[in-house]
Amino acid sequence: MTTALQPPLPSVPVLRLRLAPGGGMPRPIDGAWWPRSYDLISELPQLLAGLPSAWGHITSATVNGAEWSAVPGRMLVFNQVVRLRRSLTASAPHTIVLLAPGRGRWDLLVVPPDTSEAVAEPLMAAAVAGHA
């Protein structure tokens, strides 16, 4: 009898996200996210899946900057509708703002996807330490 080897299951890339410690004073940046591309349709589901359950259901995501690919007005993520917006505000060019009604707003620094690990890691650490 011959046994066929099963091909390995595709692995899901590790979410590159760091969140600031909870509690205390409000912060200008709540964490840092290092996506693998500027394609929000493919990147957002993994980000939302990695957020703490205490943040609740995210209903809106606003990305800041012209780098992001075109986004539809909304998308279905885990059977929930998420409104998508793109802003060109100069005040915070590399951020994503997540909203959950009744729970709050979270601003994440977005580290550009093409950033090297040697540069991205210190940026993310500084963001969660409050030095971004």
Side-chain angles (χ1 to χ4, degrees):
M1 176 190 283
T2 334
T3 305
L5 294 175
Q6 294 290 333
L9 295 174
S11 63
V12 176
V14 173
L15 177 62
R16 300 183 298 188
L17 174 70
R18 286 199 187 177
L19 299 176
M25 300 291 289
R27 307 170 56 90
I29 293 291
D30 300 295
W33 176 44
W34 183 20
R36 287 178 168 71
S37 74
Y38 279 117
D39 180 3
L40 194 59
I41 301 303
S42 66
E43 298 288 342
L44 190 62
Q46 186 181 11
L47 172 63
L48 297 184
L51 296 176
S53 59
W55 285 23
H57 167 63
I58 302 298
T59 60
S60 174
T62 302
V63 291
N64 200 330
E67 295 90 0
W68 291 95
S69 58
V71 296
R74 60 187 173 184
M75 70 183 277
L76 196 61
V77 180
F78 307 118
N79 293 322
Q80 300 285 336
V81 174
V82 178
R83 293 189 188 280
L84 304 176
R85 295 182 178 90
R86 190 166 71 173
S87 168
L88 298 176
T89 307
S91 62
H94 296 286
T95 59
I96 183 169
V97 177
L98 305 172
L99 297 174
R103 296 284 179 106
R105 168 187 167 147
W106 294 274
D107 292 37
L108 302 177
L109 171 74
V110 176
V111 176
D114 58 352
T115 305
S116 71
E117 186 172 353
V119 173
E121 287 297 328
L123 281 174
M124 294 176 74
V128 298
H131 304 297

